[in-house]
Amino acid sequence: MSNDNKPYRPNVGIALFNADGRVLIGHRFKGDGPEIILPGLDWQMPQGGVDEGENLRDAAMRELWEETSVTSADYLGETDWLTYEFPPYDGPQTHRLAKFRGQRQKWFALRFTGKDDEIDPLTPRNDQPAEFDAWRWERLDRVADLVVPFRREVYQAVARQFAPFAN
């Protein structure tokens, strides 16, 4: 089935800034259907799907907690909707992402108000498997070079819009 006839999956992304203006990125340790990773391009900021009827800011906080255990974060701002297409996928059509052409994302800038030992990407939460096996703080303007190419334009747009929070 061509991707053109498929909908975009509603999704939120989180740029979590520390006091030094760096953002949290996680190292993906598995390829997951259409959400493939490539060697050396396996870092990303937290992101995830929005449940039916879920408030987007609530979804961002839930996804941040599920993927990193972080709850100590204050809202700074958000982007308009951004989209990216998945690369061609010929795997099992039963995969939860196979029915989508890509993701339609709203990104949220949050300020981390906790301590680094709050961050734990390995413990599963909400029956969701861990997606990251490591994390670090990175300069926002460098993150687009660390993600898979099909996400790069979205990451560049996020970096432009959230640049004021990186100082």
Side-chain angles (χ1 to χ4, degrees):
M1 178 178 180
S2 158
N3 264 1
D4 296 348
N5 300 328
K6 297 178 184 179
Y8 286 101
R9 177 177 180 240
N11 192 278
V12 290
I14 300 100
L16 182 70
F17 290 89
N18 69 8
D20 296 326
R22 303 221 171 193
V23 291
L24 183 141
I25 58 172
H27 181 261
R28 288 194 65 153
F29 62 87
K30 63 180 184 196
D32 189 12
E35 286 284 89
I36 59 165
I37 57 174
L38 299 171
L41 301 174
D42 39 14
W43 291 88
Q44 69 178 58
M45 291 183 276
Q47 67 174 56
V50 178
D51 295 333
E52 187 73 32
E54 188 176 23
N55 173 283
L56 294 174
R57 201 182 297 188
D58 293 344
M61 292 303 293
R62 177 185 51 76
E63 283 293 337
L64 179 64
W65 174 73
E66 284 178 0
E67 295 187 4
T68 68
S69 84
V70 169
T71 58
S72 304
D74 293 335
Y75 175 85
L76 296 172
E78 62 193 72
T79 66
D80 289 331
W81 288 99
L82 302 167
T83 59
Y84 68 82
E85 310 265 328
F86 291 140
Y89 176 67
D90 57 7
Q93 291 306 300
T94 53
H95 189 281
R96 65 187 172 80
L97 296 178
K99 61 181 176 263
F100 298 105
R101 71 187 292 177
Q103 306 222 61
R104 182 174 184 252
Q105 298 183 304
K106 183 168 281 269
W107 281 83
F108 290 84
L110 304 174
R111 179 74 63 197
F112 182 50
T113 58
K115 303 230 181 304
D116 281 5
D117 60 7
E118 179 179 342
I119 302 167
D120 168 21
L122 291 172
T123 302
R125 285 167 282 279
N126 274 358
D127 297 320
Q128 298 295 315
E131 292 187 29
F132 303 132
D133 61 2
W135 68 273
R136 72 178 198 239
W137 297 108
E138 183 55 80
R139 281 186 15 208
L140 179 63
D141 63 356
R142 293 187 53 202
V143 178
D145 293 331
L146 303 172
V147 302
V148 288
F150 61 89
R151 288 194 182 136
R152 196 157 285 147
E153 283 185 35
V154 165
Y155 271 65
Q156 290 166 341
V158 169
R160 282 190 303 273
Q161 292 184 47
F162 290 167
F165 306 125
N167 300 324

